[in-house]
Amino acid sequence: SPFSHSALDIKTLAMALLKIPYRQSTKKKMPKRWFDELPHSHKALDDAVEQGALFCNMLAELRE
């Protein structure tokens, strides 16, 4: 649970899924299929929704 004392961040999950070093786990290296068509406005709510969708898409792929 990301709301308890232990959590998993997006970059670490990307590192594990892509099997690349942590420092190379950047958005540019992440597959386009992980990203939904959402606004990238740098407004807090838009950013939170975008990051939440990214995390959910990554978790869905992990479960496949």
Side-chain angles (χ1 to χ4, degrees):
S1 169
F3 304 106
S4 67
H5 293 285
S6 59
L8 176 65
D9 64 274
I10 291 173
K11 188 169 177 142
T12 301
L13 182 56
M15 175 188 76
L17 287 170
L18 298 173
K19 297 179 173 72
I20 59 176
Y22 182 81
R23 290 186 149 215
Q24 293 179 18
S25 303
T26 61
K27 285 178 107 177
K28 290 180 182 181
K29 299 255 176 122
M30 295 178 189
K32 291 186 188 290
R33 68 182 177 274
W34 289 356
F35 296 91
D36 292 344
E37 298 269 338
L38 295 167
H40 187 74
S41 65
H42 296 286
K43 292 180 183 172
L45 183 56
D46 289 343
D47 288 356
V49 169
E50 182 183 26
Q51 290 176 21
L54 171 62
F55 192 73
C56 288
N57 291 338
M58 294 168 73
L59 283 178
E61 187 166 306
L62 180 64
R63 292 179 176 154
E64 288 178 358

Short mmCIF file of all heavy atoms in Angstrom, two decimals:
data_model
loop_
_atom_site.label_atom_id
_atom_site.label_comp_id
_atom_site.label_asym_id
_atom_site.label_seq_id
_atom_site.Cartn_x
_atom_site.Cartn_y
_atom_site.Cartn_z
N SER A 1 0.83 -1.19 0.00
CA SER A 1 0.00 0.00 0.00
C SER A 1 0.87 1.24 0.00
O SER A 1 1.74 1.39 0.86
CB SER A 1 -0.91 0.01 1.22
OG SER A 1 -1.53 1.28 1.36
N PRO A 2 0.66 2.17 -0.93
CA PRO A 2 1.45 3.40 -0.93
C PRO A 2 1.08 4.34 0.22
O PRO A 2 1.70 5.36 0.43
CB PRO A 2 1.13 4.04 -2.28
CG PRO A 2 -0.19 3.49 -2.65
CD PRO A 2 -0.26 2.11 -2.04
N PHE A 3 0.06 3.98 1.01
CA PHE A 3 -0.39 4.84 2.09
C PHE A 3 0.07 4.36 3.46
O PHE A 3 -0.26 4.95 4.47
CB PHE A 3 -1.91 4.97 2.06
CG PHE A 3 -2.40 5.46 0.74
CD1 PHE A 3 -3.02 4.61 -0.15
CD2 PHE A 3 -2.19 6.78 0.35
CE1 PHE A 3 -3.46 5.06 -1.39
CE2 PHE A 3 -2.62 7.25 -0.89
CZ PHE A 3 -3.25 6.38 -1.75
N SER A 4 0.82 3.28 3.51
CA SER A 4 1.30 2.78 4.80
C SER A 4 2.79 3.11 4.95
O SER A 4 3.33 3.91 4.21
CB SER A 4 1.06 1.28 4.90
OG SER A 4 1.87 0.60 3.96
N HIS A 5 3.44 2.44 5.88
CA HIS A 5 4.84 2.75 6.17
C HIS A 5 5.80 2.28 5.09
O HIS A 5 6.92 2.74 5.02
CB HIS A 5 5.24 2.16 7.52
CG HIS A 5 4.53 2.82 8.65
ND1 HIS A 5 4.86 4.07 9.09
CD2 HIS A 5 3.49 2.39 9.41
CE1 HIS A 5 4.08 4.41 10.09
NE2 HIS A 5 3.22 3.41 10.30
N SER A 6 5.41 1.35 4.27
CA SER A 6 6.28 0.91 3.18
C SER A 6 5.60 1.23 1.86
O SER A 6 4.39 1.19 1.75
CB SER A 6 6.55 -0.59 3.28
OG SER A 6 5.35 -1.30 3.22
N ALA A 7 6.40 1.57 0.88
CA ALA A 7 5.85 1.96 -0.42
C ALA A 7 6.84 1.64 -1.52
O ALA A 7 7.99 1.29 -1.27
CB ALA A 7 5.52 3.44 -0.42
N LEU A 8 6.39 1.78 -2.73
CA LEU A 8 7.22 1.56 -3.90
C LEU A 8 7.06 2.77 -4.79
O LEU A 8 5.94 3.15 -5.14
CB LEU A 8 6.74 0.30 -4.65
CG LEU A 8 7.43 -0.05 -5.95
CD1 LEU A 8 8.90 -0.39 -5.70
CD2 LEU A 8 6.73 -1.21 -6.62
N ASP A 9 8.16 3.39 -5.16
CA ASP A 9 8.06 4.57 -6.01
C ASP A 9 8.09 4.18 -7.49
O ASP A 9 8.51 3.08 -7.84
CB ASP A 9 9.16 5.59 -5.68
CG ASP A 9 10.54 5.04 -5.98
OD1 ASP A 9 11.11 4.36 -5.11
OD2 ASP A 9 11.02 5.29 -7.10
N ILE A 10 7.62 5.07 -8.32
CA ILE A 10 7.50 4.80 -9.75
C ILE A 10 8.85 4.48 -10.39
O ILE A 10 8.97 3.56 -11.19
CB ILE A 10 6.82 5.98 -10.46
CG1 ILE A 10 5.35 6.07 -10.04
CG2 ILE A 10 6.92 5.88 -11.98
CD1 ILE A 10 4.62 7.29 -10.54
N LYS A 11 9.87 5.22 -10.04
CA LYS A 11 11.18 5.01 -10.66
C LYS A 11 11.75 3.64 -10.31
O LYS A 11 12.31 2.95 -11.17
CB LYS A 11 12.13 6.13 -10.23
CG LYS A 11 13.45 6.09 -10.97
CD LYS A 11 14.24 7.35 -10.73
CE LYS A 11 15.58 7.23 -11.43
NZ LYS A 11 16.04 8.45 -12.01
N THR A 12 11.57 3.20 -9.07
CA THR A 12 12.07 1.89 -8.67
C THR A 12 11.28 0.79 -9.37
O THR A 12 11.86 -0.21 -9.81
CB THR A 12 11.99 1.73 -7.15
OG1 THR A 12 12.78 2.75 -6.54
CG2 THR A 12 12.50 0.38 -6.71
N LEU A 13 9.97 0.97 -9.51
CA LEU A 13 9.17 -0.02 -10.23
C LEU A 13 9.58 -0.09 -11.69
O LEU A 13 9.70 -1.17 -12.27
CB LEU A 13 7.68 0.30 -10.10
CG LEU A 13 6.72 -0.68 -10.75
CD1 LEU A 13 6.92 -2.09 -10.24
CD2 LEU A 13 5.27 -0.23 -10.53
N ALA A 14 9.85 1.05 -12.30
CA ALA A 14 10.32 1.07 -13.70
C ALA A 14 11.64 0.33 -13.82
O ALA A 14 11.84 -0.44 -14.76
CB ALA A 14 10.47 2.51 -14.18
N MET A 15 12.55 0.54 -12.89
CA MET A 15 13.84 -0.13 -12.90
C MET A 15 13.63 -1.65 -12.91
O MET A 15 14.24 -2.37 -13.70
CB MET A 15 14.65 0.27 -11.67
CG MET A 15 15.96 -0.47 -11.52
SD MET A 15 16.78 -0.14 -9.94
CE MET A 15 15.78 -1.15 -8.84
N ALA A 16 12.74 -2.13 -12.05
CA ALA A 16 12.48 -3.57 -11.95
C ALA A 16 11.82 -4.12 -13.21
O ALA A 16 12.21 -5.17 -13.73
CB ALA A 16 11.63 -3.86 -10.73
N LEU A 17 10.81 -3.40 -13.72
CA LEU A 17 10.10 -3.87 -14.91
C LEU A 17 10.98 -3.85 -16.16
O LEU A 17 10.90 -4.74 -17.00
CB LEU A 17 8.85 -3.03 -15.15
CG LEU A 17 7.69 -3.26 -14.18
CD1 LEU A 17 6.63 -2.19 -14.37
CD2 LEU A 17 7.09 -4.64 -14.41
N LEU A 18 11.79 -2.82 -16.30
CA LEU A 18 12.62 -2.67 -17.49
C LEU A 18 13.97 -3.38 -17.38
O LEU A 18 14.70 -3.48 -18.36
CB LEU A 18 12.85 -1.18 -17.78
CG LEU A 18 11.59 -0.37 -18.08
CD1 LEU A 18 11.92 1.12 -18.16
CD2 LEU A 18 10.92 -0.86 -19.35
N LYS A 19 14.30 -3.81 -16.15
CA LYS A 19 15.58 -4.50 -15.90
C LYS A 19 16.76 -3.63 -16.31
O LYS A 19 17.67 -4.08 -17.03
CB LYS A 19 15.60 -5.85 -16.59
CG LYS A 19 14.55 -6.81 -16.07
CD LYS A 19 14.60 -8.13 -16.81
CE LYS A 19 13.69 -9.16 -16.23
NZ LYS A 19 12.30 -8.98 -16.41
N ILE A 20 16.71 -2.37 -15.88
CA ILE A 20 17.80 -1.43 -16.14
C ILE A 20 18.19 -0.76 -14.82
O ILE A 20 17.41 -0.78 -13.87
CB ILE A 20 17.40 -0.36 -17.19
CG1 ILE A 20 16.17 0.45 -16.75
CG2 ILE A 20 17.16 -0.99 -18.56
CD1 ILE A 20 15.78 1.58 -17.70
N PRO A 21 19.38 -0.18 -14.76
CA PRO A 21 19.80 0.48 -13.52
C PRO A 21 18.88 1.65 -13.15
O PRO A 21 18.25 2.28 -14.01
CB PRO A 21 21.21 0.99 -13.84
CG PRO A 21 21.69 0.13 -14.95
CD PRO A 21 20.46 -0.21 -15.75
N TYR A 22 18.84 1.94 -11.86
CA TYR A 22 17.96 2.99 -11.33
C TYR A 22 18.18 4.33 -12.04
O TYR A 22 17.23 4.99 -12.42
CB TYR A 22 18.21 3.13 -9.82
CG TYR A 22 17.34 4.16 -9.15
CD1 TYR A 22 16.05 3.85 -8.78
CD2 TYR A 22 17.82 5.43 -8.89
CE1 TYR A 22 15.24 4.79 -8.17
CE2 TYR A 22 17.01 6.39 -8.27
CZ TYR A 22 15.73 6.06 -7.92
OH TYR A 22 14.93 6.99 -7.31
N ARG A 23 19.41 4.72 -12.22
CA ARG A 23 19.70 6.03 -12.84
C ARG A 23 19.25 6.10 -14.29
O ARG A 23 19.09 7.18 -14.84
CB ARG A 23 21.19 6.35 -12.73
CG ARG A 23 21.58 6.64 -11.30
CD ARG A 23 23.01 7.11 -11.22
NE ARG A 23 23.07 8.02 -10.08
CZ ARG A 23 23.81 9.07 -10.02
NH1 ARG A 23 24.60 9.39 -11.01
NH2 ARG A 23 23.80 9.83 -8.95
N GLN A 24 19.08 4.96 -14.93
CA GLN A 24 18.61 4.94 -16.32
C GLN A 24 17.09 4.85 -16.41
O GLN A 24 16.52 4.91 -17.50
CB GLN A 24 19.24 3.77 -17.06
CG GLN A 24 20.73 3.91 -17.25
CD GLN A 24 21.31 2.71 -17.98
OE1 GLN A 24 20.62 1.94 -18.62
NE2 GLN A 24 22.63 2.55 -17.84
N SER A 25 16.42 4.72 -15.28
CA SER A 25 14.96 4.56 -15.25
C SER A 25 14.28 5.92 -15.35
O SER A 25 13.67 6.41 -14.41
CB SER A 25 14.55 3.86 -13.96
OG SER A 25 15.17 2.62 -13.84
N THR A 26 14.36 6.52 -16.51
CA THR A 26 13.78 7.84 -16.75
C THR A 26 12.51 7.71 -17.60
O THR A 26 12.28 6.67 -18.23
CB THR A 26 14.78 8.76 -17.46
OG1 THR A 26 15.09 8.17 -18.73
CG2 THR A 26 16.06 8.93 -16.65
N LYS A 27 11.71 8.77 -17.64
CA LYS A 27 10.49 8.73 -18.44
C LYS A 27 10.78 8.45 -19.91
O LYS A 27 10.01 7.79 -20.59
CB LYS A 27 9.72 10.05 -18.30
CG LYS A 27 9.01 10.20 -16.98
CD LYS A 27 8.32 11.54 -16.89
CE LYS A 27 6.84 11.37 -17.02
NZ LYS A 27 6.09 12.63 -16.86
N LYS A 28 11.89 8.95 -20.40
CA LYS A 28 12.25 8.74 -21.81
C LYS A 28 12.46 7.26 -22.12
O LYS A 28 12.27 6.83 -23.26
CB LYS A 28 13.51 9.52 -22.17
CG LYS A 28 13.29 11.01 -22.21
CD LYS A 28 14.56 11.75 -22.56
CE LYS A 28 14.30 13.25 -22.55
NZ LYS A 28 15.46 14.03 -22.90
N LYS A 29 12.88 6.48 -21.14
CA LYS A 29 13.12 5.05 -21.35
C LYS A 29 11.88 4.20 -21.11
O LYS A 29 11.87 3.02 -21.42
CB LYS A 29 14.24 4.57 -20.41
CG LYS A 29 15.56 5.25 -20.62
CD LYS A 29 16.53 4.35 -21.32
CE LYS A 29 17.82 5.09 -21.59
NZ LYS A 29 18.97 4.52 -21.03
N MET A 30 10.84 4.80 -20.54
CA MET A 30 9.62 4.05 -20.25
C MET A 30 8.79 3.90 -21.52
O MET A 30 8.70 4.82 -22.32
CB MET A 30 8.80 4.78 -19.17
CG MET A 30 9.49 4.84 -17.84
SD MET A 30 8.49 5.77 -16.64
CE MET A 30 9.66 5.89 -15.28
N PRO A 31 8.17 2.73 -21.70
CA PRO A 31 7.37 2.51 -22.91
C PRO A 31 6.14 3.42 -22.96
O PRO A 31 5.52 3.71 -21.93
CB PRO A 31 6.96 1.04 -22.82
CG PRO A 31 7.33 0.57 -21.48
CD PRO A 31 8.22 1.57 -20.84
N LYS A 32 5.79 3.84 -24.15
CA LYS A 32 4.65 4.75 -24.35
C LYS A 32 3.35 4.13 -23.85
O LYS A 32 2.44 4.84 -23.45
CB LYS A 32 4.54 5.15 -25.81
CG LYS A 32 5.68 6.05 -26.26
CD LYS A 32 5.44 6.54 -27.68
CE LYS A 32 6.65 7.27 -28.22
NZ LYS A 32 6.90 8.54 -27.62
N ARG A 33 3.26 2.82 -23.85
CA ARG A 33 2.03 2.15 -23.43
C ARG A 33 1.72 2.40 -21.95
O ARG A 33 0.60 2.20 -21.50
CB ARG A 33 2.08 0.64 -23.72
CG ARG A 33 3.11 -0.11 -22.87
CD ARG A 33 3.14 -1.60 -23.24
NE ARG A 33 4.17 -2.29 -22.48
CZ ARG A 33 5.45 -2.37 -22.84
NH1 ARG A 33 5.84 -1.81 -23.98
NH2 ARG A 33 6.31 -3.03 -22.10
N TRP A 34 2.69 2.82 -21.18
CA TRP A 34 2.46 3.12 -19.76
C TRP A 34 1.79 4.47 -19.56
O TRP A 34 1.28 4.75 -18.49
CB TRP A 34 3.78 3.10 -19.00
CG TRP A 34 4.38 1.75 -18.82
CD1 TRP A 34 3.86 0.53 -19.20
CD2 TRP A 34 5.64 1.45 -18.24
NE1 TRP A 34 4.72 -0.48 -18.87
CE2 TRP A 34 5.83 0.06 -18.29
CE3 TRP A 34 6.64 2.24 -17.70
CZ2 TRP A 34 6.96 -0.56 -17.78
CZ3 TRP A 34 7.78 1.61 -17.20
CH2 TRP A 34 7.93 0.23 -17.24
N PHE A 35 1.80 5.32 -20.57
CA PHE A 35 1.31 6.69 -20.42
C PHE A 35 -0.06 6.85 -21.06
O PHE A 35 -0.26 6.50 -22.22
CB PHE A 35 2.29 7.68 -21.05
CG PHE A 35 3.63 7.69 -20.37
CD1 PHE A 35 4.65 6.86 -20.81
CD2 PHE A 35 3.87 8.51 -19.28
CE1 PHE A 35 5.89 6.85 -20.18
CE2 PHE A 35 5.10 8.51 -18.64
CZ PHE A 35 6.11 7.67 -19.10
N ASP A 36 -1.01 7.38 -20.30
CA ASP A 36 -2.33 7.70 -20.83
C ASP A 36 -2.29 9.11 -21.43
O ASP A 36 -1.40 9.89 -21.12
CB ASP A 36 -3.38 7.67 -19.71
CG ASP A 36 -3.61 6.25 -19.19
OD1 ASP A 36 -3.23 5.28 -19.86
OD2 ASP A 36 -4.20 6.13 -18.09
N GLU A 37 -3.25 9.40 -22.27
CA GLU A 37 -3.36 10.73 -22.87
C GLU A 37 -3.94 11.69 -21.84
O GLU A 37 -5.16 11.90 -21.78
CB GLU A 37 -4.25 10.68 -24.11
CG GLU A 37 -3.72 9.80 -25.22
CD GLU A 37 -2.86 10.55 -26.20
OE1 GLU A 37 -2.98 11.78 -26.29
OE2 GLU A 37 -2.07 9.90 -26.89
N LEU A 38 -3.10 12.23 -21.00
CA LEU A 38 -3.52 13.14 -19.94
C LEU A 38 -2.72 14.43 -20.04
O LEU A 38 -1.60 14.43 -20.54
CB LEU A 38 -3.30 12.50 -18.56
CG LEU A 38 -4.14 11.26 -18.27
CD1 LEU A 38 -3.61 10.55 -17.03
CD2 LEU A 38 -5.59 11.65 -18.09
N PRO A 39 -3.28 15.53 -19.55
CA PRO A 39 -2.55 16.80 -19.62
C PRO A 39 -1.28 16.77 -18.76
O PRO A 39 -1.26 16.16 -17.70
CB PRO A 39 -3.54 17.83 -19.08
CG PRO A 39 -4.59 17.07 -18.38
CD PRO A 39 -4.60 15.69 -18.94
N HIS A 40 -0.25 17.41 -19.26
CA HIS A 40 1.01 17.56 -18.53
C HIS A 40 1.21 19.06 -18.31
O HIS A 40 2.01 19.71 -18.97
CB HIS A 40 2.17 16.96 -19.33
CG HIS A 40 3.46 16.91 -18.58
ND1 HIS A 40 3.68 16.01 -17.57
CD2 HIS A 40 4.58 17.65 -18.68
CE1 HIS A 40 4.89 16.21 -17.09
NE2 HIS A 40 5.46 17.20 -17.75
N SER A 41 0.43 19.61 -17.39
CA SER A 41 0.34 21.06 -17.21
C SER A 41 1.20 21.61 -16.08
O SER A 41 1.31 22.81 -15.92
CB SER A 41 -1.12 21.43 -16.92
OG SER A 41 -1.51 20.86 -15.67
N HIS A 42 1.78 20.73 -15.30
CA HIS A 42 2.54 21.11 -14.10
C HIS A 42 1.65 21.71 -13.02
O HIS A 42 2.15 22.33 -12.09
CB HIS A 42 3.71 22.04 -14.42
CG HIS A 42 4.74 21.37 -15.30
ND1 HIS A 42 5.60 20.42 -14.82
CD2 HIS A 42 5.01 21.52 -16.61
CE1 HIS A 42 6.37 20.01 -15.82
NE2 HIS A 42 6.03 20.65 -16.90
N LYS A 43 0.35 21.49 -13.14
CA LYS A 43 -0.59 21.83 -12.06
C LYS A 43 -0.67 20.60 -11.17
O LYS A 43 -0.71 19.46 -11.65
CB LYS A 43 -1.96 22.18 -12.61
CG LYS A 43 -1.97 23.47 -13.40
CD LYS A 43 -3.35 23.77 -13.94
CE LYS A 43 -3.32 25.03 -14.79
NZ LYS A 43 -4.59 25.26 -15.46
N ALA A 44 -0.69 20.82 -9.86
CA ALA A 44 -0.57 19.72 -8.90
C ALA A 44 -1.59 18.59 -9.16
O ALA A 44 -1.21 17.41 -9.17
CB ALA A 44 -0.72 20.24 -7.48
N LEU A 45 -2.84 18.92 -9.37
CA LEU A 45 -3.84 17.89 -9.57
C LEU A 45 -3.61 17.13 -10.87
O LEU A 45 -3.68 15.89 -10.90
CB LEU A 45 -5.25 18.49 -9.54
CG LEU A 45 -6.39 17.48 -9.67
CD1 LEU A 45 -6.31 16.41 -8.58
CD2 LEU A 45 -7.73 18.20 -9.61
N ASP A 46 -3.31 17.84 -11.95
CA ASP A 46 -3.02 17.17 -13.22
C ASP A 46 -1.81 16.25 -13.09
O ASP A 46 -1.82 15.11 -13.59
CB ASP A 46 -2.76 18.19 -14.33
CG ASP A 46 -4.01 18.93 -14.77
OD1 ASP A 46 -5.13 18.47 -14.47
OD2 ASP A 46 -3.86 19.99 -15.41
N ASP A 47 -0.77 16.72 -12.44
CA ASP A 47 0.43 15.90 -12.25
C ASP A 47 0.13 14.66 -11.43
O ASP A 47 0.61 13.56 -11.73
CB ASP A 47 1.54 16.71 -11.58
CG ASP A 47 2.16 17.75 -12.48
OD1 ASP A 47 1.79 17.81 -13.68
OD2 ASP A 47 3.03 18.50 -11.99
N ALA A 48 -0.67 14.81 -10.37
CA ALA A 48 -1.02 13.67 -9.52
C ALA A 48 -1.82 12.63 -10.29
O ALA A 48 -1.56 11.42 -10.18
CB ALA A 48 -1.79 14.15 -8.30
N VAL A 49 -2.77 13.08 -11.09
CA VAL A 49 -3.58 12.16 -11.90
C VAL A 49 -2.69 11.45 -12.91
O VAL A 49 -2.79 10.22 -13.10
CB VAL A 49 -4.74 12.91 -12.59
CG1 VAL A 49 -5.43 12.02 -13.62
CG2 VAL A 49 -5.74 13.39 -11.55
N GLU A 50 -1.82 12.19 -13.57
CA GLU A 50 -0.91 11.61 -14.57
C GLU A 50 0.00 10.55 -13.93
O GLU A 50 0.18 9.46 -14.46
CB GLU A 50 -0.07 12.72 -15.20
CG GLU A 50 0.87 12.23 -16.28
CD GLU A 50 1.75 13.34 -16.84
OE1 GLU A 50 2.02 14.34 -16.14
OE2 GLU A 50 2.17 13.20 -17.99
N GLN A 51 0.57 10.88 -12.78
CA GLN A 51 1.47 9.94 -12.11
C GLN A 51 0.72 8.73 -11.57
O GLN A 51 1.22 7.61 -11.60
CB GLN A 51 2.23 10.65 -10.99
CG GLN A 51 3.24 11.63 -11.53
CD GLN A 51 3.94 12.41 -10.44
OE1 GLN A 51 3.97 12.00 -9.29
NE2 GLN A 51 4.49 13.55 -10.81
N GLY A 52 -0.51 8.95 -11.09
CA GLY A 52 -1.32 7.83 -10.62
C GLY A 52 -1.66 6.87 -11.75
O GLY A 52 -1.60 5.65 -11.58
N ALA A 53 -2.01 7.42 -12.90
CA ALA A 53 -2.32 6.58 -14.07
C ALA A 53 -1.08 5.80 -14.51
O ALA A 53 -1.17 4.61 -14.83
CB ALA A 53 -2.86 7.43 -15.21
N LEU A 54 0.06 6.46 -14.53
CA LEU A 54 1.31 5.80 -14.90
C LEU A 54 1.58 4.63 -13.96
O LEU A 54 1.86 3.51 -14.40
CB LEU A 54 2.47 6.80 -14.85
CG LEU A 54 3.88 6.24 -14.99
CD1 LEU A 54 4.08 5.55 -16.33
CD2 LEU A 54 4.91 7.36 -14.81
N PHE A 55 1.46 4.86 -12.66
CA PHE A 55 1.71 3.81 -11.67
C PHE A 55 0.73 2.66 -11.86
O PHE A 55 1.13 1.49 -11.84
CB PHE A 55 1.62 4.41 -10.27
CG PHE A 55 2.13 3.49 -9.20
CD1 PHE A 55 3.48 3.25 -9.06
CD2 PHE A 55 1.26 2.89 -8.31
CE1 PHE A 55 3.96 2.41 -8.07
CE2 PHE A 55 1.73 2.06 -7.31
CZ PHE A 55 3.08 1.82 -7.19
N CYS A 56 -0.55 2.95 -12.07
CA CYS A 56 -1.55 1.90 -12.29
C CYS A 56 -1.25 1.09 -13.54
O CYS A 56 -1.39 -0.14 -13.54
CB CYS A 56 -2.95 2.50 -12.37
SG CYS A 56 -3.57 3.07 -10.78
N ASN A 57 -0.84 1.74 -14.61
CA ASN A 57 -0.49 1.03 -15.84
C ASN A 57 0.73 0.13 -15.64
O ASN A 57 0.78 -0.99 -16.17
CB ASN A 57 -0.23 2.03 -16.97
CG ASN A 57 -1.50 2.73 -17.40
OD1 ASN A 57 -2.60 2.25 -17.19
ND2 ASN A 57 -1.34 3.91 -17.98
N MET A 58 1.67 0.60 -14.86
CA MET A 58 2.86 -0.21 -14.57
C MET A 58 2.48 -1.42 -13.72
O MET A 58 2.95 -2.55 -13.97
CB MET A 58 3.93 0.63 -13.87
CG MET A 58 4.48 1.72 -14.78
SD MET A 58 5.48 2.93 -13.88
CE MET A 58 6.94 1.98 -13.53
N LEU A 59 1.62 -1.22 -12.72
CA LEU A 59 1.19 -2.33 -11.87
C LEU A 59 0.41 -3.36 -12.69
O LEU A 59 0.56 -4.56 -12.49
CB LEU A 59 0.32 -1.83 -10.73
CG LEU A 59 1.04 -1.17 -9.57
CD1 LEU A 59 0.03 -0.67 -8.53
CD2 LEU A 59 2.02 -2.13 -8.91
N ALA A 60 -0.43 -2.89 -13.61
CA ALA A 60 -1.20 -3.81 -14.46
C ALA A 60 -0.25 -4.67 -15.29
O ALA A 60 -0.47 -5.87 -15.43
CB ALA A 60 -2.15 -3.02 -15.36
N GLU A 61 0.79 -4.06 -15.82
CA GLU A 61 1.76 -4.83 -16.61
C GLU A 61 2.50 -5.83 -15.72
O GLU A 61 2.78 -6.96 -16.14
CB GLU A 61 2.74 -3.91 -17.31
CG GLU A 61 3.64 -4.65 -18.26
CD GLU A 61 4.38 -3.72 -19.19
OE1 GLU A 61 3.73 -2.91 -19.87
OE2 GLU A 61 5.62 -3.82 -19.24
N LEU A 62 2.81 -5.43 -14.52
CA LEU A 62 3.49 -6.32 -13.59
C LEU A 62 2.65 -7.55 -13.29
O LEU A 62 3.18 -8.65 -13.15
CB LEU A 62 3.79 -5.56 -12.30
CG LEU A 62 4.51 -6.30 -11.19
CD1 LEU A 62 5.91 -6.72 -11.63
CD2 LEU A 62 4.59 -5.45 -9.94
N ARG A 63 1.35 -7.39 -13.23
CA ARG A 63 0.46 -8.49 -12.90
C ARG A 63 0.18 -9.42 -14.07
O ARG A 63 -0.39 -10.49 -13.90
CB ARG A 63 -0.86 -7.93 -12.36
CG ARG A 63 -0.66 -7.28 -11.02
CD ARG A 63 -1.94 -6.71 -10.48
NE ARG A 63 -1.70 -6.19 -9.14
CZ ARG A 63 -2.41 -5.24 -8.59
NH1 ARG A 63 -3.41 -4.69 -9.25
NH2 ARG A 63 -2.13 -4.82 -7.38
N GLU A 64 0.54 -9.01 -15.28
CA GLU A 64 0.29 -9.86 -16.47
C GLU A 64 1.20 -11.07 -16.49
O GLU A 64 2.29 -11.09 -16.04
CB GLU A 64 0.50 -9.04 -17.76
CG GLU A 64 -0.57 -8.05 -17.97
CD GLU A 64 -0.33 -7.19 -19.23
OE1 GLU A 64 0.69 -7.34 -19.91
OE2 GLU A 64 -1.20 -6.36 -19.51
#
